[in-house]
Amino acid sequence: MRKKIVAGNWKCNTNLQEGIELAKSVNELVAKKAADDVVVVLGVPFTHLTNVVESVNTERIGVAAQNCAAEADGAFTGEVSASMVKSTGATYVILGHSERREYYGETSEVLNKKLALALENGLTPIYCCGEPLEVREADVQNDYVKKQLEETIFKLPESDFRKLVIAYEPIWAIGTGKTATAGQAQEIHEFIRSIIAEKFGKEVAEETSILYGGSAKPGNAKELFGNKDVDGGLIGGAALKAEDFLGIINGF
Ligand code: PGA
């Protein structure tokens, strides 16, 4: 059965001390109050990885980087490689977030290199896709997302594809307070699962966790996660408050 996953994406928020405090609070709440069958992941800044790994029960909470370099190592000042991420004890990496695509020019070509390195180093990629507002308004979001997947993760061998988690995040819903309706989320998640089935077969499609992201909060998690093809969430703003994050984890 595919996993239910709630992953926080802290983005460029919290200094190290604040991050450790937040991780400890999440760890405590998850230990006491979270549903056992939900995989919890914290996507934290690079500088926090080692400390967050040390601050949580990693049997219960996975730690993710929010990016990794497109090169294995070498003269790439300022970059952090997949193997460096792995060496901190982190086990996931968020790749292809729309903010990275938009502000840092990450193309499918760059993402393919990052995906390969993440997988080589045993990290689980949480691969993001999702359309901007004008695409949604033109009602061609399925074509847009299909292309994003065909150019990247659909090129992987099946054995690697099986290791991925997908996050569908409509750009117009990220940090805007404007959430996709449960119906909109279900519709496109079902579409994504159908194209995975076309490409890799029904069994692989049924096993792939597809998360929703974009202004998810405790108040709308139930409605979103109640859909049969929504397997959890990638959570930005609401992941910065331990209680809110717990509310989402318990939103199934
Ligand atoms: P948000 O961000 O929950 O703040 O909308 C989600 C994301 O970008 O992953």
Side-chain angles (χ1 to χ4, degrees):
M1 221 178 63
R2 60 181 178 260
K3 290 179 184 143
K4 296 177 188 171
I5 303 172
V6 173
N9 175 11
W10 292 2
K11 308 193 180 185
C12 189
N13 292 298
T14 73
N15 66 25
L16 179 60
Q17 289 71 33
E18 291 162 349
I20 293 171
E21 280 314 302
L22 178 56
K24 285 182 176 166
S25 304
V26 171
N27 188 54
E28 208 178 302
L29 287 177
V30 166
K32 286 191 195 144
K33 300 185 183 169
D36 290 341
D37 62 342
V38 181
V39 174
V40 178
V41 179
L42 296 178
V44 308
F46 288 130
T47 46
H48 300 22
L49 287 170
T50 305
N51 298 77
V52 169
V53 165
E54 285 166 1
S55 303
V56 301
N57 169 12
T58 50
E59 303 269 293
R60 181 66 190 92
I61 298 179
V63 179
Q66 300 169 20
N67 182 26
C68 70
E71 307 294 337
D73 52 28
F76 302 102
T77 303
E79 287 294 283
V80 177
S81 71
S83 89
M84 293 172 192
V85 169
K86 180 70 180 178
S87 69
T88 67
T91 50
Y92 292 82
V93 59
I94 300 169
L95 290 176
H97 192 282
S98 58
E99 287 153 13
R100 303 255 5 132
R101 293 180 194 255
E102 188 180 344
Y103 308 141
Y104 303 97
E106 290 195 0
T107 58
S108 294
E109 200 186 346
V110 167
L111 288 171
N112 285 335
K113 290 170 135 190
K114 294 187 176 194
L115 281 162
L117 287 162
L119 288 160
E120 254 170 53
N121 284 283
L123 296 169
T124 299
I126 300 176
Y127 182 76
C128 305
C129 58
E131 79 287 353
L133 183 61
E134 63 274 17
V135 168
R136 172 63 63 163
E137 283 174 345
D139 198 24
V140 288
Q141 61 276 5
N142 288 5
D143 295 342
Y144 187 93
V145 168
K146 187 175 186 199
K147 185 164 181 280
Q148 284 183 321
L149 303 185
E150 280 176 347
E151 287 179 357
T152 55
I153 55 175
F154 280 10
K155 292 188 168 174
L156 291 169
E158 183 189 312
S159 55
D160 279 340
F161 184 87
R162 282 175 179 272
K163 297 174 185 155
L164 297 174
V165 175
I166 295 176
Y168 165 71
E169 301 202 306
I171 298 171
W172 45 272
I174 295 177
T176 57
K178 211 172 151 186
T179 321
T181 63
Q184 283 172 325
Q186 170 55 27
E187 193 176 81
I188 193 150
H189 280 230
E190 191 176 341
F191 170 73
I192 293 170
R193 203 176 304 286
S194 76
I195 58 176
I196 297 171
E198 274 168 30
K199 174 75 192 161
F200 295 104
K202 200 164 169 18
E203 195 257 331
V204 176
E206 284 304 317
E207 289 297 312
T208 305
S209 296
I210 308 175
L211 316 184
Y212 168 82
S215 299
K217 41 188 181 277
N220 59 23
K222 266 205 163 46
E223 202 190 330
L224 288 163
F225 299 170
N227 292 294
K228 80 170 174 35
D229 289 299
V230 179
D231 306 310
L234 181 57
I235 317 300
L240 295 170
K241 290 203 183 101
E243 291 280 353
D244 285 356
F245 192 53
L246 177 76
I248 297 172
I249 295 166
N250 287 337
F252 286 92

